[in-house]
Amino acid sequence: MGIQECRQRGATVWVAGAAFAVLLVQRRHLQRRTDLADKHRLQFDLLCKAMDDPELAEVLDTYDEEIPPGKQRQFLLANALYGNLLHAYRLGTTSRAETLGHLRGICQSRIFRDYWDATRHHRETLPGNSQERRLAVLVDEIVATASEERDNWWVI
């Protein structure tokens, strides 16, 4: 085997190795997206069960104050709405601008703002650099200005 043929085989092996590495990265990325989707689906199923059964909803009652069962069901739906947007944002199926637009609409609801306030201590332990923490900070800002923007909330 000549030097030229050896170089060609070496280059072929290198290209094959690089392609394999790219496939592994893509597979890990796909697996992460699948895992996130599975986690979200399970979380949503659990929230639905809690909304349907007040005794199960008590498991999720971690509020600092007494929340009546009807209001707690509303809070569970608010949590599901927020969780759905967070999930879509994490997966990249909605852009940051789209996510903020949806959140601005949801934050017009007094019930959602009450939920957000009642669960503020839940977010205190989130890592500062996590997507959820960064999004929660933006929701805090939207909630703080929601009552001021009541008539023109859709205008950016």
Side-chain angles (χ1 to χ4, degrees), residues 4-20:
Q4 185 65 18
E5 187 178 335
C6 187
R7 285 184 180 157
Q8 286 176 341
R9 283 190 180 179
T12 301
V13 168
W14 184 87
V15 168
F20 183 70

Side-chain angles (χ1 to χ4, degrees), residues 46-64:
L46 292 171
L47 285 173
C48 287
K49 286 181 182 191
M51 282 188 268
D52 290 341
D53 186 337
E55 288 182 5
L56 295 179
E58 289 178 23
V59 173
L60 298 174
D61 186 352
T62 59
Y63 309 107
D64 289 339

Side-chain angles (χ1 to χ4, degrees), residues 76-137:
L76 292 172
L77 181 61
N79 177 270
L81 289 171
Y82 175 71
N84 185 54
L85 280 172
L86 175 63
H87 177 67
Y89 180 64
R90 281 179 172 156
L91 289 180
T93 56
T94 59
S95 69
R96 182 177 185 271
E98 289 170 319
T99 302
L100 290 177
H102 290 297
L103 286 168
R104 290 183 77 201
I106 291 170
C107 289
Q108 294 308 303
S109 164
R110 165 53 57 201
I111 294 168
F112 183 86
R113 292 193 308 268
D114 289 347
Y115 154 78
W116 197 254
D117 182 55
T119 58
R120 69 188 168 285
H121 65 283
H122 295 175
R123 295 180 295 281
E124 291 173 357
T125 60
L126 291 172
N129 63 345
S130 70
Q131 281 182 313
E132 186 171 1
R133 170 67 89 153
R134 291 191 307 265
L135 193 60
V137 167

